Amino acid sequence: MKENEWKNAVVYQIYPKSFNDTNGDGIGDLPGIIDKLDYLKDLGIDIIWLSPFFPSPMADNGYDISDYQGIEPSFGTMEDMDRLLEEADRRDIRIVIDLVLNHTSDEHDWFKESSASLDNPKRDWYIWRSGDENGEPPNNWRSNFGGSAWEWDERTNQYYLHVFDKKQPDLNWENKEMRQAVYQMIHWWMEKAVAGFRVDAITYIKKNKEFPSFEADGSDGMVTIDKGSLNQPGIKKHLQELKEKGFRHDEVFTVAEAPGVPADEIEDYIGEHGFFTMLFEFDHVDLDLTASAKWYEMKEWTVHDFKKPLFDSQRRLQEGWSALYIENHDQPRSLSRFIQEGFRHTHSAKMLAAVYFLMKGTPYIYQGQEIGMTNVEYPDISSYNDAVSRHQYDYALANGCSEEEALAFIWKRSRDNTRTPMQWDASHQGGFTEGSPWLETNSNYPEVNVETVKAAPDSLYTFYQKLIAFRKHAKAAPIIEKGAFQALLEEDDHIVAYKRTYEDQEITLYANFTAERVPVSFDEESRQAIVSNNDGLGPESAWMEPYDFVIFSNVDYEW
Ligand code: GLC
Ligand code: CA
């Protein structure tokens, strides 16, 4: 993909398990994606990011891969994949796949060999250590999915390291042969004509070689593994090699999931000589988490917590480029997350869309976001599939929360909030499956579904279509692509506002990010409002109603 191609693109993320089931087994599949390509074309997107579809025991819904070069049987076959690539290409849609390089499944052949004996040639492909003098884990690192990051393996009487689930052993990036095998796998997919890669959890691949214990940050005596495994010194050598030997060409599109990159190092990661095309940053979505990321300690957030990291990132970018998003398969639904109860309607959903779409970067839409899907509230923890949710629930109970309290945090934060089946129409299970879905459908599907939303006047779906068309239009595209970014009303406690300027043209956005009616004074006398979610808003307006937004511009554009 050439630079001008991804800069003008909009990406749509598909979580295959929950997108569309064609054979009634309750699990989304590749033929189901093919069936919806026309829908995606109609929406106006250019690139599909496919979450993992490789063979997997599904301990982490596909992020635990047991064969990098195959297809999970419940999702389909390699022929289905080839057909998907072909059919997408026919519609001028590119496919970007997920590369999970920090770990494999414990059921991957590599790990089976590695764990077989101390002298197996692949022993060193993973991270093995003996216990301490009492036979306890080598250090006090807590895995991201809860409990010790070390799992005892009695075949060889050693522990292996896992940053995530115990079924996701970490690959040892210090091993050259392992790296070589990973690069070959990447080349294989490139030959299959995938257009690029979303690179999973990549800032975890380098570990602190001493594997020291650190001061505990929880009642379990453990410490977040980020301390010894996130963005550690020396990681850049690996990333540079991944770029040169793995991706090889500059034209491979790569978007890295890269928590923990310090602001002043972003330049090394992206931009002309960076390791990746663009990065997902986290601060604007993790605004309700404390450093230890325990959900039961969730904190209140303000408009500043949302806008400051985004604005800082936009300013920092200068020549770089960003991955813009408000939802994905790890985050709650944006409507439920950012909008107060009672206001979660098309009106506020349009504001959320407008707020991030005009920044410098490539916007991502997560499946269902375009129709305003919301969080789910299962009445019991047993309905949850997400490993993190189950761990966070136990953790909350162990730290004194009642079951009701613990569940309330799961409702807010669970990754299952965005993993419920896609809602296509008002029929059985929202049209996702003819059978019973692997994860309960959100009960609001009779109202919130593609068919119903599309048929409504001024729908959210249509708004996304128009936003996409606007970004790409010859009049707006240069401003979005090259325009300088200037934050407006930065100190304001309610309004998110910014201006993009290119030559003598500009686009300005004002959004009331709160449920309050607030006074405002637009500095836009000579400009016209090209679109808003409140027809009464114009350059002279003195108030914004809850969740209003307006876009001003001096380009002559017919919305
Ligand atoms: C990334 C994925 C997440 C997964 C984790 C481990 O954060 O987005 O879904 O659980 O990596 O692979
Ligand atoms: Ca299926």
Side-chain angles (χ1 to χ4, degrees), residues 295-396:
W295 293 355
Y296 72 89
E297 285 179 352
M298 221 179 281
K299 59 177 189 206
E300 296 290 321
W301 55 273
T302 69
V303 173
H304 295 281
D305 297 326
F306 177 77
K307 67 181 177 178
K308 185 167 187 308
L310 284 175
F311 288 178
D312 286 348
S313 163
Q314 288 284 302
R315 278 188 285 246
R316 220 167 31 225
L317 284 173
Q318 316 272 13
E319 302 305 310
W321 196 255
S322 178
L324 307 167
Y325 74 101
I326 51 173
E327 279 183 25
N328 64 34
H329 65 292
D330 294 328
Q331 295 291 334
R333 288 288 181 183
S334 56
L335 257 181
S336 311
R337 137 79 61 87
F338 296 119
I339 307 295
Q340 258 185 43
E341 210 176 334
F343 295 86
R344 293 173 188 150
H345 304 300
T346 311
H347 176 262
S348 54
K350 287 182 181 175
M351 183 281 288
L352 288 175
V355 150
Y356 83 106
F357 241 77
L358 305 177
M359 292 185 180
K360 188 173 188 182
T362 300
Y364 289 66
I365 300 172
Y366 179 75
Q367 65 185 44
Q369 183 185 323
E370 75 278 22
I371 54 163
M373 283 177 65
T374 58
N375 281 356
V376 73
E377 294 183 359
Y378 300 133
D380 194 276
I381 190 68
S382 61
S383 297
Y384 284 85
N385 168 281
D386 169 29
V388 180
S389 301
R390 283 184 275 120
H391 144 65
Q392 290 277 355
Y393 181 82
D394 292 343
Y395 211 60

Side-chain angles (χ1 to χ4, degrees), residues 21-23 25 27-29 74:
D21 172 28
T22 53
N23 63 351
D25 65 356
I27 298 171
D29 43 52
S74 57

